[in-house]
Amino acid sequence: EPEVTQTPSHQVTQMGQEVILRCVPISNHLYFYWYRQILGQKVEFLVSFYNNEISEKSEIFDDQFSVERPDGSNFTLKIRSTKLEDSAMYFCASSEALRLALHFGNGTRLTVT
Amino acid sequence: DAKTTQPNSMESNEEEPVHLPCNHSTISGTDYIHWYRQLPSQGPEYVIHGLTSNVNNRMASLAIAEDRKSSTLILHRATLRDAAVYYCIPDMYSGGGADGLTFGKGTHLIIQP
């Protein structure tokens, strides 16, 4: 069964550094998402992306965050200047169409020191 | 978004049926009811969704009350692999764009061997 893959599985970075989290969504999917989950807390929506532009974003997704689909397969989340509070699991998801099942990757654990 | 109420945790025995309840009394007429689960150290996984009628798939069944103010996810024969946090998510129709699902705290399902 096709799956969403995320790399790296764990990223450690220093405060103030830029990080790029990478995702390869399922190939025929059109909608792409990033979520995050701080340890012990809820899964939180960050942003959705369709037709090469952001469709919706949450309050968490401020100017420090950006997303890109640089080619036909990758979907990336960039954090420009990481803060300690950005430490979390970041999940990428994709769906074939609006309101159909979201398929999630297994996440990238980001640790900011 | 519609407010949901789920038990914090439930316990069941292996190979027995499990009924996971969810109250969503403020659900609107166009909301689908989605269920996702999150196994330990993994991303959320789609389970099932429905609008008005009861739904079945290979993973589970979804029973939706006639007034749609509540639903029940039914695992017909629980296995140890079903131990996870289960999320009930009414999907608000935003009128356009790809809206992100809002995850609550969910129900932590414990399966005893």
Side-chain angles (χ1 to χ4, degrees), chain A residues 35 37 48 56 99 102 104, chain B residues 30 36 38 91 98-99 101:
Chain A
Y35 286 76
Q37 187 174 31
S48 59
E56 188 175 337
R99 300 175 102 184
L102 268 65
F104 285 80
Chain B
T30 55
Y36 283 75
Q38 188 174 19
D91 172 26
D99 43 332
L101 296 173

Side-chain angles (χ1 to χ4, degrees), chain A residues 3-10 21-25 33-35 75 89-93 103-109, chain B residues 43:
Chain A
E3 57 181 28
V4 175
T5 56
Q6 291 186 243
T7 54
S9 56
H10 191 189
L21 309 182
R22 301 180 194 279
C23 169
V24 179
Y33 311 81
W34 283 100
Y35 286 76
F75 181 50
M89 282 291 288
Y90 287 80
F91 296 108
C92 172
H103 294 252
F104 285 80
N106 279 332
T108 292
R109 177 171 298 285

